[in-house]
Amino acid sequence: MDQITLNTRHLHAFTEVGFQVAGGSGAHGAMTALRKIIPVEAYEFVAFDPATGCHRSLVSSGYTRVDVDAAEEYARLDPYRRAMASRVPLPMGSPGTELYYRRHLEPYGWRSGLTAPLFVTEGRYTGLLHVNSRDALPPETTTVISAVSSALAHVTDLTRCVIDPLGLPPGFHAVAFERGGRRRAVAGWPASEAVDTEPSMAELARDFIDSRELSRRGLWLDSSGQWREVRVHRAGVGFHGAIQGAVIAERPCSLPYDLTAREIEVLTRVALGDSNPQIAAALVLSVRTVTTHLEHIFAKLGCDSRTRLTTKVLAEGLCRLDLP
């Protein structure tokens, strides 16, 4: 790859690109910054959706039209595969791309350009960036685009999930769900293997999305016998959070207040409004045993009534979270 001498303009532009992407201005803000050092007249961001394995045009500017099938057509070219392997931008008209450019670009006056594969820092592929000009682009274009490609890759990252970062304390692992059950990563949070491998979590997410709840908390006993604190939040998933979804986050925990697993079950029935006989019938216990459990629970949680107990249980997520 060609070497360039960085000057103050380059450094400022690189910083501005990262700021615009991180700050939420996205494609247009980033490309406005980049255009200060490269005379790009048109650009298109193409996103790769790992959930479907397909490409689609996401954001474009400067083109008279963008053909609907262009993204998938480009991704089927052999030069695209070579660019993916080398991670080096392909100049317009490279061997094997002639027909593509003749169909989609040359009729509209574009004579110079390149396509850059986009990978986030950890090496995950998110899509493509096409840039074009009616005049020759400067020789350093490839090097400059390569230098900022990892920042630009976040523009096409469809796994990003919109979620209030204050919604989850540190230590949680998370997975996002669309209503149809498709899973997506949550940007900024490590993935939860426990949630991802539990088939019933998709149904839990769908039930939550269809409810009027803004959030849900509870305790989950996973298949290995580990208790986990679980939080469910509403979230938009995909590009700009355009798809209604939910985030399910968890972290391993011990049962709080020295509660036992049976006391958690009793607490859960109390929060549902069950009477002692109803709890006894649901848990196959005697009414006297339920009463004894409740005496212990009142003492451990420092509550003197079922109303206060229920309020505390719901506020702190002390109910057992039963999966569908």
Side-chain angles (χ1 to χ4, degrees):
M1 186 180 297
D2 295 336
Q3 299 295 315
I4 62 172
T5 300
L6 296 179
N7 55 37
T8 303
R9 287 176 58 250
H10 287 100
L11 294 175
H12 182 271
F14 292 167
T15 302
E16 185 67 14
V17 166
F19 175 79
Q20 292 294 334
V21 172
S25 297
H28 297 311
M31 293 307 293
T32 296
L34 202 58
R35 279 169 158 168
K36 294 177 181 178
I37 53 175
I38 300 176
V40 171
E41 295 181 64
Y43 60 84
E44 178 191 12
F45 283 89
V46 173
F48 172 71
D49 188 345
T52 63
C54 295
H55 292 76
R56 64 182 177 91
S57 179
L58 198 63
V59 180
S60 65
S61 175
Y63 297 108
T64 304
R65 59 174 290 181
V66 174
D67 294 329
V68 175
D69 60 344
E72 277 299 295
E73 180 182 341
Y74 191 89
R76 289 193 296 267
L77 299 176
D78 286 337
Y80 158 78
R81 298 183 181 89
R82 292 196 295 271
M84 286 282 290
S86 66
R87 302 193 182 185
V88 176
L90 273 178
M92 176 177 171
S94 295
T97 67
E98 298 93 341
L99 291 177
Y100 176 88
Y101 284 107
R102 201 172 299 155
R103 174 186 175 188
H104 297 288
L105 296 168
E106 288 181 354
Y108 307 104
W110 306 110
R111 297 292 178 265
S112 181
L114 58 81
T115 297
L118 301 176
F119 294 83
V120 290
T121 305
E122 61 266 29
R124 179 167 49 84
Y125 170 68
T126 66
L128 301 165
L129 169 63
H130 298 298
V131 297
N132 286 97
S133 175
R134 290 181 175 82
D135 298 316
L137 289 169
E140 67 269 21
T141 299
T142 297
T143 304
V144 170
I145 293 291
S146 296
V148 295
S149 63
S150 61
L152 296 175
H154 292 284
V155 172
T156 54
D157 187 359
L158 294 184
T159 68
R160 297 176 72 184
C161 180
V162 179
I163 180 173
D164 180 355
L166 299 178
L168 294 178
F172 277 83
H173 291 61
V175 177
F177 290 84
E178 298 178 16
R179 190 187 178 284
R182 182 177 294 165
R183 290 166 167 79
R184 294 187 182 273
V186 182
W189 296 93
S192 169
E193 182 179 354
V195 171
D196 199 43
T197 56
E198 172 51 63
S200 298
M201 283 296 180
E203 191 174 345
L204 173 67
R206 181 167 55 252
D207 174 72
F208 174 76
I209 293 168
D210 290 343
S211 75
R212 295 185 177 181
E213 298 171 80
L214 296 178
S215 63
R216 187 183 296 179
R217 297 176 62 177
L219 298 167
W220 170 43
L221 183 64
D222 69 18
S223 58
S224 71
Q226 170 67 58
W227 284 98
R228 296 179 185 273
E229 178 185 355
V230 177
R231 302 194 184 193
V232 188
H233 292 270
R234 290 194 175 275
V237 300
F239 182 67
H240 286 177
I243 304 171
Q244 187 181 36
V247 167
I248 300 181
E250 58 77 23
R251 63 181 174 187
C253 69
S254 299
L255 291 181
Y257 299 103
D258 290 325
L259 292 165
T260 66
R262 178 62 83 183
E263 287 169 347
I264 290 293
E265 292 177 332
V266 172
L267 265 178
T268 301
R269 306 303 303 189
V270 170
L272 290 173
D274 288 357
S275 65
N276 284 14
Q278 289 173 321
I279 296 173
L283 301 181
V284 194
L285 299 172
S286 69
V287 174
R288 179 172 183 150
T289 300
V290 171
T291 302
T292 300
H293 281 312
L294 279 172
E295 290 173 354
H296 294 160
I297 290 168
F298 280 126
K300 289 179 180 181
L301 271 64
C303 296
D304 57 7
S305 71
R306 293 175 89 98
T307 300
R308 290 186 178 179
L309 183 64
T310 298
T311 300
K312 187 177 183 68
V313 166
L314 295 178
E316 298 185 19
L318 302 180
C319 289
R320 177 165 179 167
L321 189 67
D322 288 320
L323 301 182

